[in-house]
């Protein structure tokens, strides 16, 4: 399985997750753990879409 860097910031009361290698993927949550879980779900969904469309992975 590939690994990708993740950036987590805290903005107000929310944690924001960004994936620099994937333009436009972000997620947020009320806790660090929830934000990471939602980020993982967003990344998995992006992988499925890229695979379905025959696109290359970053």
């Amino acid at each position: 399985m590939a690994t990708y860097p993740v950036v987590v910031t805290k903005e107000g009361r929310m944690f924001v997750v960004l994936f620099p290698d994937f333009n436009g993927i972000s997620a947020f949550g009320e806790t660090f753990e929830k934000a990471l879980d939602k980020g993982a779900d967003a990344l998995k969904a992006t992988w499925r879409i890229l695979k379905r469309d025959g696109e290359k992975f970053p």
Side-chain angles (χ1 to χ4, degrees):
M1 178 180 234
T3 58
Y4 292 94
V6 61
V7 176
V8 181
T9 59
K10 188 168 185 190
E11 297 184 19
R13 297 187 309 175
M14 301 298 283
F15 289 88
V16 179
V17 176
L18 302 170
F19 295 93
D21 291 342
F22 290 86
N23 190 21
I25 297 179
S26 63
F28 60 92
E30 294 175 355
T31 66
F32 182 82
E33 292 79 12
K34 286 181 182 179
L36 284 181
D37 285 344
K38 290 181 179 182
D41 290 344
L43 187 59
K44 288 175 192 175
T46 299
W47 272 79
R48 285 192 300 270
I49 291 167
L50 291 174
K51 185 175 179 181
R52 178 197 69 198
D53 293 347
E55 299 285 332
K56 292 186 178 186
F57 301 113

